[in-house]
Amino acid sequence: MEAILRKFESEGKAAAGGIEISYKTCCGDYPVYGEDGALLGTMFTYSYVRTDVESSQDRPVIFAFNGGPGSSALWLHTGLLAPKRIRLENPTAPQTVPPFELEENPNCFLDLCDVVIIDPMGTGWSQIIEETRQAEAYSYEKDGEIFARFIEDWIRKENRWASPKYLMGESYGTMRACVIPSILMGGPICTGAVSKGITIDGIIMMGTGLNVNPQPNWWDEYGVEKMVLDLPTMAACNWYFNREEKPDLHAFIAEADAFAGKELLAGLYRGNRMTEAETKSFIEKLTYFTGLSPSYLKKKNDRISLSEFSKELLGDEGQEIGMYDGRFVMHASGQIGMADPVADDGAMGRYTPAFRGGFLKLAEELGIDIDMPYHIINFNVNGMWKFDGIKTPLEYLRAALRRNPSLRVLLTNGVYDLVTTIGQARYAAGHLDAEKGQVILREYPSGHMSYVGEESGEKLSQDIRDFIEKEEMESCY
């Protein structure tokens, strides 16, 4: 089977940065090859380039992708980057049936930079040519090589060597964003074993998934008790539903973070060696931050997983909160049999239809006419993914920061995200060797997708603008 490389072009106008701008789009297939040169399939990409400027050759450009690793970039595309975005009348209780509408995106960046959005092979409208060989594209480093090759080809064809270049990855995409700079730089032990010398100006990580765990797999490094890292997010979700007699959100998170790094860490280490008075005080504080009962905490030996927390926090009310965004609520799943971790999640199960509906409207406006299914997330890709590599994501990122002192990293996380938590992001940021100002961490009153909700979306957009414009930025903690 041969691939027919599709291409769709359009023009449009948008309000961005307080002005009206003109832009063009080019959407289509990018070929993915195996090591022997055989065509395995295609990625589907979307380029938005401003046209009412004298020259684009030195304009910043963002290369954006989501996670999974089998996810399309529909989320970033329709939620943050396109000139139009999905309209969510109630961000934490969106409608789940049509009609789904678009609206002008007040957070669009096209006045400032051009945007290239990438759906990996196996997702979106990409094509799979060699069914029996598709797994060759599904590994940590091979995936990074494919993305790096696309970025290099795009820069070369558009003559954008002088443009500041940014990677924007969400969820697993944050791991992808760690490996790509090393492949663009190249070297004898790098995938492909070719020196390229292409540097990146900045990496924007959203829903930061860098893992530092007590019992690491291949991409983790040794860390501390997971409960210590998870407590600030548990505290944020508890505050959202039970904020009476508590300080404001960020002050409460700060209290939880301080408790986690001192008393919680020490208490989990000491266990039943604490005195009766120490144990009583410890449980009272843990109840204060988590909202869980002393009896439940004792039963769980003071260690609660995030999935257990999502079911227990509002369990007495017969409800559970979303893992991807703790502000979302669903009836408890006890009577539906085996719950799907994504489709039955309080957040993902609610906003996925709206994002899909909005994206298909957007695709029509881009002139895309494709008679095939659009795969938002392809879990078959996840199942075939090879989690191996010569470095962990943190090691790749450390190497990139060491080689390129001008590289800056913006880590962004929603405080209600129980999948990629703020504690994990804080811990990862604290274990990166970097120059002052190279690594900036920001947190928002949202979930896994920090652009959901007006307040969070505005703050996130401004932080990204400041980052690209190289404004001086401080970490939020």
Side-chain angles (χ1 to χ4, degrees), residues 406-426:
S406 295
L407 172 65
R408 296 160 72 232
V409 180
L410 175 63
L411 297 96
T412 72
N413 280 72
V415 300
Y416 304 119
D417 179 5
L418 283 84
V419 175
T420 56
T421 65
I422 55 174
Q424 187 75 66
R426 290 180 175 196

Side-chain angles (χ1 to χ4, degrees), residues 193 222 291 298 475:
Y222 281 103
K298 289 178 181 177
S475 284

